[in-house]
Amino acid sequence: MSTVKTDFGGDRGDLFALMLRTSFLTVITLGIYRFWRLTKLRRWYWSSIRPGGIPLEYTGTPQEKLMGFFVAVIVLALYISLFNLAGLFVAFNMADNDISYMTYAIGAAPLALVPVIFAARYRARRYILSRSTWLGIRFGMDPGAWGYAWRACMYWLLAILSLGLLWPLMTFQMERYLTDRSYYGTAKFRQHGNPFMLYPLAIPFYVLGAAIVGVLVLIAGETDEATIGWYIILIVVLSVLLVLSGFYFRIASLRAMAGLKELGDGMEFGIEPRTGKLLRIHIFGNLISGFLISFVSPVILGLVVGFLYLIGRVDAGAITNPPPNLAAFLGALTWLTVFILYGVFRQVFVTYPTVRHVAATLELEEPAVLQGIRQRDVDRNREAGGFAEALDVGAAF
Amino acid sequence: MATMTPQRDAKFAAKLALAYGEILDGIRPALQRVSLRLSGDGGTLELRNTATNTTEIWQLDGLRLVPDQARTDALVLAHQGSGDARLILRDHEAIRALLAACPNLPDLGSGRGSLGKLLALGTAAVASIALILFVLIPYMADRGTDLIPPEAEVAFGRTTFESLSETMEFRECKSLEGDAALAQMQARITDGLDLAWPLQIRVIDNPAINAFALPGGQVAIYRGLIDAAETPEEVAAVLAHEIGHVVNRDGTRSMIRSMGSFGIVGLLFGDAVGMSAAAGVSQRLISSAHSREAEIAADAFAHRQLTRAGLPPSAMGDMFARMQAQGLGEDMGVFRHISSHPELRDRIEAAMQADTGAANGAPVISSAGWAALQAICI
């Protein structure tokens, strides 16, 4: 009985350089380079996560992503246009002189994309697993995107109709669906446990939700304005706590379910990210990114204007009262620097520490199970996350 | 490795003979220790498994670097023809020796996926989107327009006009004689037409030179257009053009088109580069391409209808030419959807050519009626 621990070996400065270079290329190629950026980022992150000292490897290629994306765009363009038009005709024929129905029917057309989004997520995950290796052995996933999509739609509907009471049920069932279809080499993953084990983790969320409803009821019956003021302050405080308890539920349920996953015959896992730590990362990471962007962007702008002034392209009068083309150029430049740099800063100060913290808590128990595992066949799936990319529902990297 | 000198070759061999690496065979999830040795004429690397005493040969020019690794303290190498196997070198001397021997170590996967195939697929993707936007959706809009019940279209047009009227603060001009003149003009140019719904023609108190048609027979003429016209026949020509839009159901069709293509251009850009603006611009280009066709068709309708009513189609050309000469820019309402001067010239020319001189000389409305129409907003 031994435990394999994980270390994280990526350097923040390297990531900054990689992110800056690839984000710039992405913008000047009108987005085409984003498939190369995504591939490079994944290779980098994967190689910095080293369970037992051996880095993961990401083997996906930008070319296959671009191909998958093109195919997805063609299919989705057909699907979206057909649904838009169908919605319109149904609306026109149902509307029957009452135009307000039509607005609803047209507004509902994008709902046709919801199952496609779930399927796209499943496929993106399958693609990523099939292009990930550790110790030279591939991960993998069975096909099952549409089964996932309709289950996800049903569970979401249940969760909404039950006012959130069935949310933990959904969380567990969807995680089990994904886990039970995943492989490492020839060995299968299995999710143990049951949905009820997640309910204790959701108690703070439910209590706070009930408290907010209670205060709202009190407000409705109250006439004294001062008291209503206090109630509103109370609601604001409770709402902040509600968001935090939702955050806690997400992380705690991830921990609980990871502890009950099994690979093959007896290999177990632990992922122990701390809610407080992740919360700090998100709050401070976003603050730092915002602060840096408000500092760096004017500096860049100033340098460019100063350079133009030095080479004589603008004079002092043009700076206080810029002609339209200069104003447009500076506007575009500001937008670009803010857009590129904000993404870079968030990657470096939010995503990076998050991945580092989560990865460093990963532990594998009973590594002897590995001895019975062999390589699995290459998953020739051509989709390569293209649908998730076209619908913009991909992961952070 | 033609570039290797015998000396370097020998040094490299000597260094590597002392080196150890770790290999992942891509079959079992286990790290195996190998000793490295350069062999043959210096073009191959011998990997001897110290546990099993088996030896594998890797060609030096088949070596590939696994790129974008976060850790620089180890080199991860793949070998063409050895499948998923990886060689991990941690020994700094061995890494340096290997990089010196193969200074241009190519990245794994750098040559994969031919550019031609990517270009072909990219062209196909853009072409299919263009096909959907410019062929399929217009086709379905043409077909679909007939599926929409006329009553629904009339209701839709009325609601659209009401909401437009509210936001633009339209004031409708009315006078007994003016309305009578307008009705007379309408009767003359719609002679022999079988419309699915009644026309509703309004004059709006607005100085812009403009007119528009909405679904369901809603037509509006701005006061500015009547003021700019020198003869009632010019107003009649513009009116005939707008009635052409009504007959062709262009308002409904363009609505179906824009609804149908909603969200498609956005697919291409994603939000990876914040290209929503580019998507918006493309959407505009598409709709103006659609409407240019519609304008030309409405002109053709007007020419036919005016000729049939014994009125001169050239009146429209006269008016456009005069406004163009006066330097009234394209921002004027009548010129909407027209992006360049040649197109305006084409329209003027088409109007002139359509005039067969068959006009019977009878004015479209009496001079008293024309005066009443000119004074309708006063």
mmCIF file of all heavy atoms in Angstrom, chain A residues 9 26 34 40 43 47 50 54 57 63 70 73 84-85 89 93 106 138 335 339 373 375 392, chain B residues 26-27 29 31 68-71 84 86 112 122 129 140 144 149 259-260 262 271-272 274:
data_model
loop_
_atom_site.group_PDB
_atom_site.id
_atom_site.type_symbol
_atom_site.label_atom_id
_atom_site.label_comp_id
_atom_site.label_asym_id
_atom_site.label_seq_id
_atom_site.Cartn_x
_atom_site.Cartn_y
_atom_site.Cartn_z
ATOM 1 N N GLY A 9 4.954 21.413 -11.953
ATOM 2 C CA GLY A 9 6.253 22.006 -12.239
ATOM 3 C C GLY A 9 6.277 23.117 -13.257
ATOM 4 O O GLY A 9 7.323 23.431 -13.795
ATOM 5 N N THR A 26 -3.142 34.990 -32.123
ATOM 6 C CA THR A 26 -4.555 34.670 -32.310
ATOM 7 C C THR A 26 -5.320 35.889 -32.822
ATOM 8 O O THR A 26 -6.131 35.790 -33.739
ATOM 9 C CB THR A 26 -5.162 34.195 -30.978
ATOM 10 O OG1 THR A 26 -4.483 33.022 -30.572
ATOM 11 C CG2 THR A 26 -6.639 33.898 -31.123
ATOM 12 N N ARG A 34 -6.070 30.363 -32.732
ATOM 13 C CA ARG A 34 -6.502 29.918 -31.414
ATOM 14 C C ARG A 34 -6.400 28.410 -31.226
ATOM 15 O O ARG A 34 -6.260 27.927 -30.107
ATOM 16 C CB ARG A 34 -7.907 30.404 -31.100
ATOM 17 C CG ARG A 34 -9.051 29.788 -31.883
ATOM 18 C CD ARG A 34 -10.324 30.494 -31.408
ATOM 19 N NE ARG A 34 -11.548 29.944 -31.919
ATOM 20 C CZ ARG A 34 -12.141 30.329 -33.050
ATOM 21 N NH1 ARG A 34 -11.565 31.253 -33.784
ATOM 22 N NH2 ARG A 34 -13.280 29.817 -33.427
ATOM 23 N N LYS A 40 -0.945 24.364 -27.593
ATOM 24 C CA LYS A 40 0.291 24.652 -26.866
ATOM 25 C C LYS A 40 0.027 24.793 -25.365
ATOM 26 O O LYS A 40 0.788 24.295 -24.538
ATOM 27 C CB LYS A 40 0.935 25.930 -27.402
ATOM 28 C CG LYS A 40 1.662 25.704 -28.727
ATOM 29 C CD LYS A 40 2.067 27.011 -29.358
ATOM 30 C CE LYS A 40 2.836 26.789 -30.635
ATOM 31 N NZ LYS A 40 4.185 26.235 -30.380
ATOM 32 N N ARG A 43 -0.534 21.321 -23.926
ATOM 33 C CA ARG A 43 0.737 20.587 -23.816
ATOM 34 C C ARG A 43 1.504 21.093 -22.605
ATOM 35 O O ARG A 43 2.073 20.320 -21.848
ATOM 36 C CB ARG A 43 1.584 20.818 -25.073
ATOM 37 C CG ARG A 43 1.211 19.972 -26.246
ATOM 38 C CD ARG A 43 2.321 20.109 -27.272
ATOM 39 N NE ARG A 43 1.841 19.833 -28.609
ATOM 40 C CZ ARG A 43 2.086 20.600 -29.663
ATOM 41 N NH1 ARG A 43 2.808 21.707 -29.530
ATOM 42 N NH2 ARG A 43 1.631 20.278 -30.838
ATOM 43 N N SER A 47 2.140 18.869 -19.242
ATOM 44 C CA SER A 47 3.505 18.467 -18.925
ATOM 45 C C SER A 47 3.948 19.004 -17.572
ATOM 46 O O SER A 47 4.953 18.561 -17.032
ATOM 47 C CB SER A 47 4.469 18.943 -20.017
ATOM 48 O OG SER A 47 4.616 20.343 -19.948
ATOM 49 N N ARG A 50 2.636 16.283 -12.786
ATOM 50 C CA ARG A 50 3.463 15.080 -12.781
ATOM 51 C C ARG A 50 3.115 14.159 -11.625
ATOM 52 O O ARG A 50 3.746 14.204 -10.565
ATOM 53 C CB ARG A 50 4.945 15.473 -12.678
ATOM 54 C CG ARG A 50 5.310 16.585 -13.638
ATOM 55 C CD ARG A 50 6.664 17.144 -13.312
ATOM 56 N NE ARG A 50 7.689 16.456 -14.087
ATOM 57 C CZ ARG A 50 8.980 16.552 -13.836
ATOM 58 N NH1 ARG A 50 9.407 17.254 -12.798
ATOM 59 N NH2 ARG A 50 9.855 15.934 -14.593
ATOM 60 N N ILE A 54 6.177 11.735 -13.099
ATOM 61 C CA ILE A 54 6.114 11.541 -14.553
ATOM 62 C C ILE A 54 5.053 12.477 -15.132
ATOM 63 O O ILE A 54 3.891 12.400 -14.758
ATOM 64 C CB ILE A 54 5.736 10.084 -14.911
ATOM 65 C CG1 ILE A 54 6.583 9.092 -14.121
ATOM 66 C CG2 ILE A 54 5.860 9.867 -16.417
ATOM 67 C CD1 ILE A 54 8.050 9.199 -14.399
ATOM 68 N N GLU A 57 1.127 13.873 -20.814
ATOM 69 C CA GLU A 57 1.424 14.441 -22.128
ATOM 70 C C GLU A 57 0.126 14.639 -22.879
ATOM 71 O O GLU A 57 -0.769 13.795 -22.835
ATOM 72 C CB GLU A 57 2.352 13.513 -22.922
ATOM 73 C CG GLU A 57 2.836 14.157 -24.226
ATOM 74 C CD GLU A 57 3.665 13.202 -25.087
ATOM 75 O OE1 GLU A 57 4.441 12.401 -24.519
ATOM 76 O OE2 GLU A 57 3.515 13.243 -26.316
ATOM 77 N N GLN A 63 -4.043 20.976 -36.081
ATOM 78 C CA GLN A 63 -4.648 20.688 -37.380
ATOM 79 C C GLN A 63 -5.964 19.931 -37.224
ATOM 80 O O GLN A 63 -6.956 20.251 -37.871
ATOM 81 C CB GLN A 63 -3.686 19.872 -38.255
ATOM 82 C CG GLN A 63 -2.480 20.652 -38.740
ATOM 83 C CD GLN A 63 -1.311 20.590 -37.767
ATOM 84 O OE1 GLN A 63 -1.461 20.129 -36.632
ATOM 85 N NE2 GLN A 63 -0.152 21.061 -38.196
ATOM 86 N N PHE A 70 -14.081 23.154 -38.566
ATOM 87 C CA PHE A 70 -14.712 23.442 -39.856
ATOM 88 C C PHE A 70 -15.955 22.571 -40.061
ATOM 89 O O PHE A 70 -17.009 23.052 -40.473
ATOM 90 C CB PHE A 70 -13.716 23.197 -40.996
ATOM 91 C CG PHE A 70 -12.698 24.293 -41.148
ATOM 92 C CD1 PHE A 70 -11.431 24.023 -41.622
ATOM 93 C CD2 PHE A 70 -13.025 25.602 -40.806
ATOM 94 C CE1 PHE A 70 -10.501 25.039 -41.766
ATOM 95 C CE2 PHE A 70 -12.092 26.618 -40.955
ATOM 96 C CZ PHE A 70 -10.825 26.339 -41.423
ATOM 97 N N VAL A 73 -18.744 23.742 -37.884
ATOM 98 C CA VAL A 73 -19.363 24.990 -38.348
ATOM 99 C C VAL A 73 -20.376 24.695 -39.449
ATOM 100 O O VAL A 73 -21.485 25.227 -39.460
ATOM 101 C CB VAL A 73 -18.273 25.970 -38.841
ATOM 102 C CG1 VAL A 73 -18.879 27.061 -39.693
ATOM 103 C CG2 VAL A 73 -17.555 26.584 -37.654
ATOM 104 N N ASN A 84 -34.030 28.170 -36.762
ATOM 105 C CA ASN A 84 -34.493 29.562 -36.795
ATOM 106 C C ASN A 84 -35.734 29.675 -37.653
ATOM 107 O O ASN A 84 -36.747 30.249 -37.250
ATOM 108 C CB ASN A 84 -33.411 30.468 -37.401
ATOM 109 C CG ASN A 84 -32.320 30.804 -36.406
ATOM 110 O OD1 ASN A 84 -32.481 30.586 -35.212
ATOM 111 N ND2 ASN A 84 -31.222 31.337 -36.885
ATOM 112 N N LEU A 85 -35.649 29.101 -38.874
ATOM 113 C CA LEU A 85 -36.748 29.243 -39.829
ATOM 114 C C LEU A 85 -37.978 28.487 -39.356
ATOM 115 O O LEU A 85 -39.088 28.996 -39.409
ATOM 116 C CB LEU A 85 -36.303 28.754 -41.207
ATOM 117 C CG LEU A 85 -35.215 29.615 -41.853
ATOM 118 C CD1 LEU A 85 -34.726 28.996 -43.142
ATOM 119 C CD2 LEU A 85 -35.740 31.019 -42.116
ATOM 120 N N PHE A 89 -41.753 30.042 -38.682
ATOM 121 C CA PHE A 89 -43.003 29.665 -39.349
ATOM 122 C C PHE A 89 -44.032 29.177 -38.350
ATOM 123 O O PHE A 89 -45.220 29.496 -38.465
ATOM 124 C CB PHE A 89 -42.738 28.602 -40.418
ATOM 125 C CG PHE A 89 -41.977 29.164 -41.566
ATOM 126 C CD1 PHE A 89 -40.810 28.591 -42.016
ATOM 127 C CD2 PHE A 89 -42.424 30.329 -42.173
ATOM 128 C CE1 PHE A 89 -40.106 29.139 -43.060
ATOM 129 C CE2 PHE A 89 -41.719 30.894 -43.219
ATOM 130 C CZ PHE A 89 -40.552 30.297 -43.664
ATOM 131 N N ASN A 93 -47.638 31.008 -37.830
ATOM 132 C CA ASN A 93 -48.906 30.313 -38.002
ATOM 133 C C ASN A 93 -49.681 30.193 -36.708
ATOM 134 O O ASN A 93 -50.900 30.080 -36.720
ATOM 135 C CB ASN A 93 -48.659 28.936 -38.624
ATOM 136 C CG ASN A 93 -48.357 29.077 -40.104
ATOM 137 O OD1 ASN A 93 -49.222 29.465 -40.875
ATOM 138 N ND2 ASN A 93 -47.107 28.836 -40.488
ATOM 139 N N ILE A 106 -39.973 33.161 -31.376
ATOM 140 C CA ILE A 106 -38.678 33.461 -31.987
ATOM 141 C C ILE A 106 -37.579 33.433 -30.933
ATOM 142 O O ILE A 106 -36.503 32.900 -31.144
ATOM 143 C CB ILE A 106 -38.723 34.823 -32.705
ATOM 144 C CG1 ILE A 106 -39.649 34.716 -33.901
ATOM 145 C CG2 ILE A 106 -37.339 35.251 -33.147
ATOM 146 C CD1 ILE A 106 -39.971 36.034 -34.552
ATOM 147 N N ARG A 138 -2.622 5.920 -23.020
ATOM 148 C CA ARG A 138 -3.707 6.841 -23.328
ATOM 149 C C ARG A 138 -4.899 6.701 -22.392
ATOM 150 O O ARG A 138 -5.223 5.586 -21.968
ATOM 151 C CB ARG A 138 -4.228 6.557 -24.744
ATOM 152 C CG ARG A 138 -3.580 7.338 -25.835
ATOM 153 C CD ARG A 138 -4.249 7.028 -27.158
ATOM 154 N NE ARG A 138 -3.897 5.685 -27.620
ATOM 155 C CZ ARG A 138 -2.754 5.396 -28.238
ATOM 156 N NH1 ARG A 138 -1.858 6.332 -28.448
ATOM 157 N NH2 ARG A 138 -2.499 4.176 -28.638
ATOM 158 N N TRP A 335 -8.467 48.767 -27.210
ATOM 159 C CA TRP A 335 -9.329 47.592 -27.141
ATOM 160 C C TRP A 335 -8.493 46.321 -27.264
ATOM 161 O O TRP A 335 -8.655 45.370 -26.507
ATOM 162 C CB TRP A 335 -10.368 47.668 -28.253
ATOM 163 C CG TRP A 335 -11.310 46.529 -28.241
ATOM 164 C CD1 TRP A 335 -12.289 46.289 -27.316
ATOM 165 C CD2 TRP A 335 -11.367 45.458 -29.172
ATOM 166 N NE1 TRP A 335 -12.944 45.129 -27.632
ATOM 167 C CE2 TRP A 335 -12.401 44.606 -28.755
ATOM 168 C CE3 TRP A 335 -10.643 45.141 -30.320
ATOM 169 C CZ2 TRP A 335 -12.734 43.459 -29.456
ATOM 170 C CZ3 TRP A 335 -10.974 43.986 -31.006
ATOM 171 C CH2 TRP A 335 -12.012 43.161 -30.576
ATOM 172 N N PHE A 339 -7.916 43.623 -24.450
ATOM 173 C CA PHE A 339 -8.448 42.294 -24.723
ATOM 174 C C PHE A 339 -7.371 41.218 -24.584
ATOM 175 O O PHE A 339 -7.574 40.200 -23.936
ATOM 176 C CB PHE A 339 -9.045 42.254 -26.127
ATOM 177 C CG PHE A 339 -9.770 40.985 -26.376
ATOM 178 C CD1 PHE A 339 -11.063 40.820 -25.918
ATOM 179 C CD2 PHE A 339 -9.145 39.937 -27.018
ATOM 180 C CE1 PHE A 339 -11.725 39.636 -26.099
ATOM 181 C CE2 PHE A 339 -9.807 38.747 -27.207
ATOM 182 C CZ PHE A 339 -11.095 38.604 -26.750
ATOM 183 N N ILE A 373 -2.431 -2.980 -16.458
ATOM 184 C CA ILE A 373 -3.028 -2.122 -17.489
ATOM 185 C C ILE A 373 -2.171 -2.127 -18.748
ATOM 186 O O ILE A 373 -0.945 -2.141 -18.684
ATOM 187 C CB ILE A 373 -3.199 -0.685 -16.940
ATOM 188 C CG1 ILE A 373 -4.204 -0.692 -15.784
ATOM 189 C CG2 ILE A 373 -3.652 0.265 -18.040
ATOM 190 C CD1 ILE A 373 -4.383 0.651 -15.110
ATOM 191 N N GLN A 375 -1.919 -0.583 -23.096
ATOM 192 C CA GLN A 375 -2.302 0.526 -23.985
ATOM 193 C C GLN A 375 -3.671 0.270 -24.615
ATOM 194 O O GLN A 375 -4.036 -0.880 -24.859
ATOM 195 C CB GLN A 375 -1.239 0.669 -25.083
ATOM 196 C CG GLN A 375 -1.447 1.815 -26.036
ATOM 197 C CD GLN A 375 -1.311 3.171 -25.373
ATOM 198 O OE1 GLN A 375 -2.139 3.570 -24.567
ATOM 199 N NE2 GLN A 375 -0.249 3.879 -25.688
ATOM 200 N N ASP A 392 -18.493 27.885 -28.509
ATOM 201 C CA ASP A 392 -17.800 28.626 -27.465
ATOM 202 C C ASP A 392 -18.174 28.118 -26.081
ATOM 203 O O ASP A 392 -18.451 28.896 -25.175
ATOM 204 C CB ASP A 392 -18.111 30.117 -27.594
ATOM 205 C CG ASP A 392 -17.019 30.961 -26.972
ATOM 206 O OD1 ASP A 392 -15.899 30.445 -26.863
ATOM 207 O OD2 ASP A 392 -17.293 32.101 -26.585
ATOM 208 N N GLY B 26 5.009 2.655 -24.215
ATOM 209 C CA GLY B 26 3.724 2.895 -24.870
ATOM 210 C C GLY B 26 2.853 1.649 -24.918
ATOM 211 O O GLY B 26 1.854 1.606 -25.634
ATOM 212 N N ILE B 27 3.226 0.646 -24.158
ATOM 213 C CA ILE B 27 2.434 -0.590 -24.096
ATOM 214 C C ILE B 27 1.992 -0.832 -22.663
ATOM 215 O O ILE B 27 0.829 -1.099 -22.378
ATOM 216 C CB ILE B 27 3.260 -1.798 -24.602
ATOM 217 C CG1 ILE B 27 3.687 -1.558 -26.051
ATOM 218 C CG2 ILE B 27 2.461 -3.091 -24.480
ATOM 219 C CD1 ILE B 27 4.757 -2.501 -26.540
ATOM 220 N N PRO B 29 2.147 0.824 -18.584
ATOM 221 C CA PRO B 29 2.375 2.086 -17.874
ATOM 222 C C PRO B 29 3.530 1.952 -16.885
ATOM 223 O O PRO B 29 3.319 1.961 -15.675
ATOM 224 C CB PRO B 29 1.040 2.349 -17.171
ATOM 225 C CG PRO B 29 0.450 1.002 -16.967
ATOM 226 C CD PRO B 29 0.958 0.115 -18.063
ATOM 227 N N LEU B 31 7.836 2.973 -16.202
ATOM 228 C CA LEU B 31 9.066 3.623 -16.605
ATOM 229 C C LEU B 31 10.186 2.587 -16.558
ATOM 230 O O LEU B 31 10.349 1.905 -15.552
ATOM 231 C CB LEU B 31 9.339 4.732 -15.595
ATOM 232 C CG LEU B 31 10.132 5.940 -16.028
ATOM 233 C CD1 LEU B 31 9.470 6.619 -17.202
ATOM 234 C CD2 LEU B 31 10.230 6.905 -14.855
ATOM 235 N N ASP B 68 6.623 22.157 -26.287
ATOM 236 C CA ASP B 68 5.877 22.942 -25.296
ATOM 237 C C ASP B 68 5.868 22.301 -23.917
ATOM 238 O O ASP B 68 4.851 22.299 -23.231
ATOM 239 C CB ASP B 68 4.438 23.179 -25.764
ATOM 240 C CG ASP B 68 4.376 23.941 -27.056
ATOM 241 O OD1 ASP B 68 5.081 24.965 -27.154
ATOM 242 O OD2 ASP B 68 3.653 23.511 -27.967
ATOM 243 N N GLN B 69 6.975 21.728 -23.521
ATOM 244 C CA GLN B 69 7.031 21.124 -22.191
ATOM 245 C C GLN B 69 7.297 22.199 -21.139
ATOM 246 O O GLN B 69 8.111 23.095 -21.345
ATOM 247 C CB GLN B 69 8.143 20.069 -22.142
ATOM 248 C CG GLN B 69 7.903 18.905 -23.072
ATOM 249 C CD GLN B 69 6.698 18.075 -22.674
ATOM 250 O OE1 GLN B 69 6.715 17.407 -21.653
ATOM 251 N NE2 GLN B 69 5.638 18.131 -23.464
ATOM 252 N N ALA B 70 6.579 22.083 -20.025
ATOM 253 C CA ALA B 70 6.726 23.098 -18.981
ATOM 254 C C ALA B 70 8.047 22.945 -18.238
ATOM 255 O O ALA B 70 8.588 23.905 -17.719
ATOM 256 C CB ALA B 70 5.565 23.000 -18.008
ATOM 257 N N ARG B 71 8.568 21.707 -18.182
ATOM 258 C CA ARG B 71 9.792 21.487 -17.423
ATOM 259 C C ARG B 71 10.986 21.501 -18.361
ATOM 260 O O ARG B 71 10.999 20.848 -19.392
ATOM 261 C CB ARG B 71 9.726 20.124 -16.718
ATOM 262 C CG ARG B 71 8.643 20.026 -15.705
ATOM 263 C CD ARG B 71 8.892 20.933 -14.509
ATOM 264 N NE ARG B 71 10.013 20.462 -13.719
ATOM 265 C CZ ARG B 71 9.903 20.035 -12.472
ATOM 266 N NH1 ARG B 71 8.730 19.994 -11.880
ATOM 267 N NH2 ARG B 71 10.960 19.641 -11.807
ATOM 268 N N ASP B 84 3.918 4.979 -29.588
ATOM 269 C CA ASP B 84 3.703 5.854 -28.440
ATOM 270 C C ASP B 84 4.900 5.894 -27.489
ATOM 271 O O ASP B 84 4.812 6.492 -26.425
ATOM 272 C CB ASP B 84 2.479 5.367 -27.652
ATOM 273 C CG ASP B 84 1.256 5.256 -28.543
ATOM 274 O OD1 ASP B 84 1.019 6.200 -29.313
ATOM 275 O OD2 ASP B 84 0.558 4.220 -28.480
ATOM 276 N N ARG B 86 8.229 6.823 -25.511
ATOM 277 C CA ARG B 86 8.888 8.093 -25.200
ATOM 278 C C ARG B 86 10.196 7.811 -24.462
ATOM 279 O O ARG B 86 10.248 6.925 -23.607
ATOM 280 C CB ARG B 86 8.006 8.943 -24.268
ATOM 281 C CG ARG B 86 6.703 9.414 -24.879
ATOM 282 C CD ARG B 86 6.939 10.489 -25.926
ATOM 283 N NE ARG B 86 5.681 11.013 -26.426
ATOM 284 C CZ ARG B 86 5.039 10.532 -27.500
ATOM 285 N NH1 ARG B 86 5.536 9.517 -28.175
ATOM 286 N NH2 ARG B 86 3.907 11.070 -27.892
ATOM 287 N N ARG B 112 2.671 17.205 -39.462
ATOM 288 C CA ARG B 112 1.406 16.475 -39.609
ATOM 289 C C ARG B 112 0.303 17.330 -40.236
ATOM 290 O O ARG B 112 0.251 18.534 -40.050
ATOM 291 C CB ARG B 112 0.948 15.994 -38.239
ATOM 292 C CG ARG B 112 0.568 14.529 -38.240
ATOM 293 C CD ARG B 112 0.114 14.096 -36.880
ATOM 294 N NE ARG B 112 1.153 14.297 -35.847
ATOM 295 C CZ ARG B 112 0.921 14.075 -34.559
ATOM 296 N NH1 ARG B 112 -0.270 13.683 -34.149
ATOM 297 N NH2 ARG B 112 1.874 14.267 -33.676
ATOM 298 N N GLY B 122 -11.059 24.327 -45.156
ATOM 299 C CA GLY B 122 -11.415 25.690 -44.762
ATOM 300 C C GLY B 122 -12.239 26.371 -45.834
ATOM 301 O O GLY B 122 -13.260 26.996 -45.544
ATOM 302 N N ILE B 129 -20.939 27.917 -45.639
ATOM 303 C CA ILE B 129 -21.635 28.976 -44.909
ATOM 304 C C ILE B 129 -22.215 29.976 -45.896
ATOM 305 O O ILE B 129 -23.363 30.407 -45.770
ATOM 306 C CB ILE B 129 -20.664 29.672 -43.945
ATOM 307 C CG1 ILE B 129 -20.226 28.671 -42.898
ATOM 308 C CG2 ILE B 129 -21.321 30.883 -43.314
ATOM 309 C CD1 ILE B 129 -20.363 29.109 -41.496
ATOM 310 N N MET B 140 -35.347 29.316 -48.877
ATOM 311 C CA MET B 140 -36.381 28.974 -47.900
ATOM 312 C C MET B 140 -37.234 30.182 -47.571
ATOM 313 O O MET B 140 -38.415 30.058 -47.288
ATOM 314 C CB MET B 140 -35.734 28.431 -46.628
ATOM 315 C CG MET B 140 -34.795 27.302 -46.938
ATOM 316 S SD MET B 140 -34.976 25.807 -46.037
ATOM 317 C CE MET B 140 -35.589 26.269 -44.504
ATOM 318 N N GLY B 144 -40.921 30.085 -47.922
ATOM 319 C CA GLY B 144 -41.582 30.257 -46.632
ATOM 320 C C GLY B 144 -42.544 31.415 -46.637
ATOM 321 O O GLY B 144 -43.579 31.378 -45.965
ATOM 322 N N PRO B 149 -49.669 32.992 -43.475
ATOM 323 C CA PRO B 149 -51.023 33.456 -43.785
ATOM 324 C C PRO B 149 -51.054 34.977 -43.916
ATOM 325 O O PRO B 149 -50.438 35.677 -43.108
ATOM 326 C CB PRO B 149 -51.852 33.002 -42.578
ATOM 327 C CG PRO B 149 -50.903 32.472 -41.579
ATOM 328 C CD PRO B 149 -49.558 32.322 -42.189
ATOM 329 N N MET B 259 -33.785 36.561 -39.690
ATOM 330 C CA MET B 259 -34.013 35.640 -38.570
ATOM 331 C C MET B 259 -33.317 34.313 -38.826
ATOM 332 O O MET B 259 -32.752 33.712 -37.931
ATOM 333 C CB MET B 259 -35.516 35.381 -38.375
ATOM 334 C CG MET B 259 -36.305 36.536 -37.834
ATOM 335 S SD MET B 259 -35.702 37.115 -36.255
ATOM 336 C CE MET B 259 -35.829 35.633 -35.283
ATOM 337 N N GLY B 260 -33.391 33.857 -40.079
ATOM 338 C CA GLY B 260 -32.826 32.556 -40.414
ATOM 339 C C GLY B 260 -31.319 32.524 -40.281
ATOM 340 O O GLY B 260 -30.732 31.531 -39.885
ATOM 341 N N PHE B 262 -29.605 34.365 -38.272
ATOM 342 C CA PHE B 262 -29.180 34.844 -36.960
ATOM 343 C C PHE B 262 -28.265 33.830 -36.266
ATOM 344 O O PHE B 262 -28.603 32.657 -36.155
ATOM 345 C CB PHE B 262 -30.415 35.118 -36.096
ATOM 346 C CG PHE B 262 -30.088 35.633 -34.733
ATOM 347 C CD1 PHE B 262 -29.732 36.954 -34.558
ATOM 348 C CD2 PHE B 262 -30.133 34.798 -33.633
ATOM 349 C CE1 PHE B 262 -29.424 37.435 -33.309
ATOM 350 C CE2 PHE B 262 -29.833 35.273 -32.385
ATOM 351 C CZ PHE B 262 -29.477 36.598 -32.215
ATOM 352 N N ASP B 271 -15.702 33.485 -29.309
ATOM 353 C CA ASP B 271 -15.384 34.688 -28.572
ATOM 354 C C ASP B 271 -13.909 34.731 -28.211
ATOM 355 O O ASP B 271 -13.467 35.538 -27.420
ATOM 356 C CB ASP B 271 -16.253 34.818 -27.325
ATOM 357 C CG ASP B 271 -17.289 35.919 -27.534
ATOM 358 O OD1 ASP B 271 -17.297 36.483 -28.642
ATOM 359 O OD2 ASP B 271 -18.049 36.203 -26.618
ATOM 360 N N ALA B 272 -13.158 33.832 -28.848
ATOM 361 C CA ALA B 272 -11.743 33.726 -28.514
ATOM 362 C C ALA B 272 -11.008 35.026 -28.789
ATOM 363 O O ALA B 272 -10.041 35.346 -28.141
ATOM 364 C CB ALA B 272 -11.102 32.594 -29.310
ATOM 365 N N GLY B 274 -12.867 38.054 -29.322
ATOM 366 C CA GLY B 274 -13.798 39.164 -29.198
ATOM 367 C C GLY B 274 -14.227 39.682 -30.543
ATOM 368 O O GLY B 274 -14.279 40.873 -30.784
#
